[in-house]
Amino acid sequence: MSEPQTPAPKLGLTEWLILTIASIGFLFDTYELLMTPLVAVPAIAELLSLPPNNPVVTQWTGNLLWLTALCGGTFGLMGGWLIDRFGRKTIMAASIFLYAFSPCAAAFATTLPVFIFFRCTTFIGVCVEFIAAITWLAELFPDKRMKEMALGYTQAFASVGGLVVTGINVWIVAHANELPALPVPEIFNTHATWRYTLLTGFLPAIPIALLLPFVPESKVWRERRASGSLKRPSFTELFSPELRRITLVTAGLSACAYGAAFGALQMTPLRVAPGLADMAEQRTALKPLQDEAKELNKQLDTVMVPFRAATAEVPGLLEIAANRAKIRIAQRGMRNALDNPATPEEKKAELKAQFAASTNKFAELDAALTKLTEAKPDAKKAVIEREKVLKLLGDNRAKQEPFDNAIKARGNTVQLWQELGGLGGRIALAALLVVAISRGKLLRIFQVPGLLIFPLTYIWLFRDQPALFQFGMAAAGFLTVAQFSYFGEYLPKIFPLHLRGTGGSFATNVGGRMIGTSCAFLTANILAPQLPGNTFEQVALAAAITGTGVYIIGLGLSFLLPEPPAEESH
């Protein structure tokens, strides 16, 4: 029999500030993470001076994904210990500032290692902030119903983050040339869209810096520490007889939720949606162009050997070659705008003047190249040969663009429906938290339908009902993302006060971000190659297997999930 409901206490100014800070933190958690698929390819391509469709760029994009997940999980675990040792608010603030300043530093990167380093520190900040925020919230609201509502509804803002970063990136792509030039070396694009997008990662630091002085540290943590009764956090204690089951089950369940997200949902827009039946015309048109691009990239690899040797031997040659390439890229964009009937005549006149100026600049660089390589004609030849191949690759990309854009648009639509489904799942979870139901049953409300939704979406809808596929993805997002909010509400309650950060971090970062995210490799590299069909059909079927499989494992683990103790705030 459930306890009688008492009205929740009214929220004062401090409580509203707490909820505002938590909502901003959760929103920008997702915002900062989902920058990666938006900025990775153009950033890596520019920093390596390679075309975006070069295999080396693709390889490093994949490397970036697993490096950031590994660093986030590893250092996020240490962050959980710091939360218990030095305080929830303190570490939460530090983690937010870490993930706010890291993208800004990455925006001014001029080498790939620097870019990757600051993307890793961004992930570390996000991984620490999530655990710090849910622990802080759980301890600031002693009323059970208010605590559940605070944790449930503030976490819903995490799904808003994905929508916001996508919208801002779209605006930046359309207006990049109108924005102030960035102070980067001349050989780089001073209006690169990926740099502007990264700079917006600074946004959470502003309100957090203004609001944090007006909100308290966790009262119960502070009092325990002041009295000397707060035990020191210990990783080994997580595996004591009293906590071993809780630690392993929560880590396993977190791994299953992240496994469904990364082993199926996250790879759908790029690896599954392009294979839908109504994209067949675009795929057919792209195939010969993609084959041509592969051959051109092989030629580029060949000409890059003498080019690198020449730039190493002739000081200043690399800068001249980079500036020549920069002008050629700008001229290609100008020509496209001039050929576009929608471009206003006054804009065309402005572009013609810019084109003439860039042509003069290129002539100056041509003269400088000739003078610099007078004694080494092979060096000039290496530069010219590289430029020829790059031009052919640029022409190839231009031919691919209309078909590629149509496929990307379809993937973006699928992504949008998935994000909206995830937002709905978080809101539904928040509403259900106030219902008198065991935590195991509550989790199974989202797990059981997934056993049907994943195979239905990735097998039947993908193959036979492409127009309905996005609705299946919305349902899959609803069921999976709700579980992230579930753990955000459950984890601070199940571990003792001195281990809430450490235990929650182990479940989320080791279970979820380190083990669960490896399901992406399982789907794409182990399962898919063994399955029948083309590449898209293989990945879709593999996603169905992975998604359904982790839901089955998660359902079994849910029956081992203990109920939180009755006294939750101590």
Side-chain angles (χ1 to χ4, degrees):
M1 187 173 178
S2 62
E3 297 178 4
Q5 292 287 327
T6 57
K10 291 185 178 180
L11 296 177
L13 177 59
T14 300
E15 287 75 19
W16 278 113
L17 289 176
I18 291 167
L19 295 175
T20 299
I21 289 173
S23 298
I24 291 171
F26 290 133
L27 186 153
F28 279 95
D29 277 0
T30 309
Y31 186 101
E32 306 284 1
L33 291 182
L34 292 185
M35 280 185 182
T36 299
L38 298 174
V39 305
V41 170
I44 294 170
E46 181 172 349
L47 294 173
L48 293 180
S49 300
L50 291 171
N53 62 350
N54 188 276
V56 175
V57 175
T58 303
Q59 179 185 351
W60 272 109
T61 302
N63 292 344
L64 175 67
L65 293 175
W66 73 261
L67 280 170
T68 51
L70 179 63
C71 289
T74 302
F75 290 96
L77 179 61
M78 180 57 66
W81 183 88
L82 293 173
I83 291 165
D84 288 327
R85 186 74 180 87
F86 297 105
R88 287 69 164 111
K89 175 187 167 183
T90 301
I91 301 303
M92 182 184 72
S95 63
I96 290 176
F97 286 122
L98 177 62
Y99 77 52
F101 284 97
S102 292
C104 295
F108 294 100
T110 56
T111 64
L112 184 58
V114 170
F115 175 76
I116 291 176
F117 174 81
F118 284 112
R119 286 313 293 160
C120 288
T121 57
T122 301
F123 271 60
I124 292 168
V126 169
C127 292
V128 175
E129 191 279 337
F130 174 74
I131 299 300
I134 61 174
T135 307
W136 185 61
L137 274 177
E139 293 172 359
L140 286 175
F141 291 92
D143 178 77
K144 180 178 183 294
R145 186 165 179 268
M146 183 61 69
K147 178 190 306 184
E148 290 169 342
M149 292 179 67
L151 283 164
Y153 286 108
T154 56
Q155 286 186 85
F157 281 86
S159 290
V160 178
L163 302 176
V164 174
V165 71
T166 302
I168 287 179
N169 185 68
V170 169
W171 185 90
I172 287 174
V173 169
H175 298 87
N177 289 328
E178 303 166 18
L179 297 173
L182 296 170
V184 294
E186 188 181 350
I187 62 172
F188 295 107
N189 180 4
T190 57
H191 290 272
T193 57
W194 64 271
R195 295 185 189 272
Y196 291 121
T197 299
L198 284 169
L199 284 173
T200 64
F202 181 71
L203 292 175
I206 301 171
I208 295 300
L210 294 174
L211 298 178
L212 266 179
F214 302 101
V215 295
E217 175 60 273
S218 163
K219 181 181 178 181
V220 62
W221 180 87
R222 190 177 65 247
E223 290 177 348
R224 289 278 186 90
R225 189 184 189 194
S227 68
S229 61
L230 183 68
K231 295 172 64 177
R232 290 177 69 93
S234 167
F235 290 113
T236 57
E237 191 177 348
L238 294 177
F239 298 94
S240 65
E242 297 81 10
L243 294 177
R244 186 184 304 123
R245 172 183 163 189
I246 293 171
T247 300
L248 295 177
V249 171
T250 53
L253 283 167
S254 184
C256 289
Y258 276 85
F262 282 80
L265 302 186
Q266 292 299 315
M267 58 178 52
T268 299
L270 295 178
R271 304 290 296 274
V272 176
L276 291 166
D278 49 8
M279 291 287 103
E281 181 180 340
Q282 287 81 3
R283 292 197 304 274
T284 301
L286 277 174
K287 181 64 170 61
L289 294 172
Q290 291 170 337
D291 291 341
E292 180 185 57
K294 288 180 182 178
E295 292 303 315
L296 289 172
N297 274 303
K298 290 179 181 178
Q299 293 179 33
L300 181 63
D301 291 340
T302 301
V303 300
M304 284 298 291
V305 175
F307 174 78
R308 291 193 184 100
T311 54
E313 188 178 359
V314 182
L317 184 62
L318 181 61
E319 288 76 14
I320 290 178
N323 282 320
R324 286 165 63 92
K326 185 177 173 181
I327 290 175
R328 287 187 182 277
I329 292 171
Q331 287 182 333
R332 183 183 293 275
M334 292 179 210
R335 279 194 294 267
N336 290 339
L338 288 169
D339 293 339
N340 187 350
T343 304
E345 288 302 319
E346 59 271 20
K347 182 65 176 177
K348 287 186 176 181
E350 181 184 339
L351 288 170
K352 287 177 182 177
Q354 293 176 359
F355 194 93
S358 67
T359 300
N360 293 335
K361 177 66 175 176
F362 193 87
E364 293 175 6
L365 289 171
D366 201 46
L369 174 64
T370 301
K371 183 177 180 180
L372 187 65
T373 58
E374 278 179 340
K376 297 183 182 296
D378 286 345
K380 180 178 181 179
K381 180 181 177 183
V383 172
I384 300 299
E385 289 299 317
R386 173 177 172 269
E387 288 179 352
K388 288 179 180 178
V389 179
L390 286 174
K391 180 184 182 304
L392 292 173
L393 275 165
D395 294 340
N396 178 274
R397 284 201 307 277
K399 294 175 186 176
Q400 288 192 40
E401 196 169 65
F403 310 111
D404 195 38
N405 286 346
I407 289 175
K408 286 180 179 177
R410 185 58 188 279
N412 290 339
T413 299
V414 170
Q415 178 75 25
L416 174 63
W417 279 91
Q418 176 193 308
E419 294 287 347
L420 292 174
L423 176 60
R426 289 186 185 274
I427 294 173
L429 188 280
L432 287 170
L433 284 173
V434 299
V435 178
I437 182 174
S438 75
R439 288 301 177 257
K441 289 180 180 178
L442 177 59
L443 181 57
R444 287 191 285 275
I445 288 175
F446 297 94
Q447 289 177 326
V448 172
L451 301 177
L452 174 64
I453 290 297
F454 272 81
L456 180 74
T457 300
Y458 284 97
I459 297 176
W460 183 59
L461 294 183
F462 172 76
R463 291 180 177 176
D464 302 322
Q465 300 292 332
L468 301 178
F469 181 75
Q470 61 204 37
F471 300 110
M473 289 305 302
F478 179 96
L479 299 172
T480 301
V481 175
Q483 295 180 50
F484 296 144
S485 283
Y486 173 91
F487 293 115
E489 188 272 340
Y490 177 84
L491 289 172
K493 297 179 176 182
I494 199 63
F495 288 99
L497 180 73
H498 69 288
L499 285 175
R500 282 178 180 164
T502 308
S505 186
F506 185 89
T508 301
N509 292 316
V510 175
R513 299 187 193 273
M514 294 180 72
I515 298 175
T517 57
S518 66
C519 284
F521 183 84
L522 172 67
T523 296
N525 298 87
I526 297 178
L527 293 177
Q530 313 300 323
L531 299 172
N534 60 38
T535 301
F536 304 110
E537 292 168 347
Q538 288 175 325
V539 175
L541 184 53
I545 294 170
T546 299
T548 307
V550 295
Y551 263 72
I552 291 172
I553 296 171
L555 181 61
L557 289 174
S558 72
F559 289 98
L560 301 175
L561 196 68
E563 284 294 301
E567 188 66 32
E568 296 170 342
S569 61
H570 294 83

